[in-house]
């Protein structure tokens, strides 16, 4: 596990709608990028908030949520939309 994102929770997974990300540590200036299984970017957001709602596309399937902090540390999470 990436220590930079040790306080991160993402739920629900799987989902039929949006997912919520909660950062329990001091990560600021984050980029949240969502891609589909083809590698196409479906959303890209910058945030300083500790709670973020991520809207997934209407299409059911697998999505990857990549979180990058100001130090360029990153972690990717797999989300299933049903």
């Amino acid at each position: 596990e990436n220590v930079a994102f040790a306080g991160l929770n993402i739920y629900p997974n799987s989902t039929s709608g949006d997912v919520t990300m909660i950062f329990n540590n001091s990560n600021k200036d984050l980029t949240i990028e969502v891609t589909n299984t083809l590698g196409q970017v479906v959303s890209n957001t910058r945030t300083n908030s500790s709670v973020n709602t991520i809207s997934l596309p209407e299409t059911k399937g697998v999505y990857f949520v990549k979180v990058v902090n100001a130090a360029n540390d990153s972690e990717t999470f797999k989300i299933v939309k049903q």
Side-chain angles (χ1 to χ4, degrees), residues 9-79:
N9 291 306
I10 185 166
Y11 64 91
N13 190 11
S14 59
T15 183
S16 58
D18 298 341
V19 294
T20 300
M21 296 184 85
I22 298 177
F23 301 94
N24 295 325
N25 56 21
S26 61
N27 273 316
K28 297 293 180 199
D29 193 25
L30 299 168
T31 300
I32 302 171
E33 180 181 86
V34 180
T35 58
N36 61 21
T37 54
L38 299 176
Q40 298 166 320
V41 176
V42 295
S43 73
N44 194 327
T45 306
R46 289 190 68 120
T47 184
N48 285 310
S49 177
S50 61
V51 178
N52 296 277
T53 300
I54 301 166
S55 298
L56 296 174
E58 293 294 320
T59 307
K60 296 176 183 179
V62 175
Y63 293 90
F64 298 96
V65 178
K66 181 178 180 182
V67 183
V68 182
N69 67 13
N72 216 26
D73 296 317
S74 68
E75 186 148 342
T76 302
F77 301 87
K78 181 172 125 179
I79 304 293

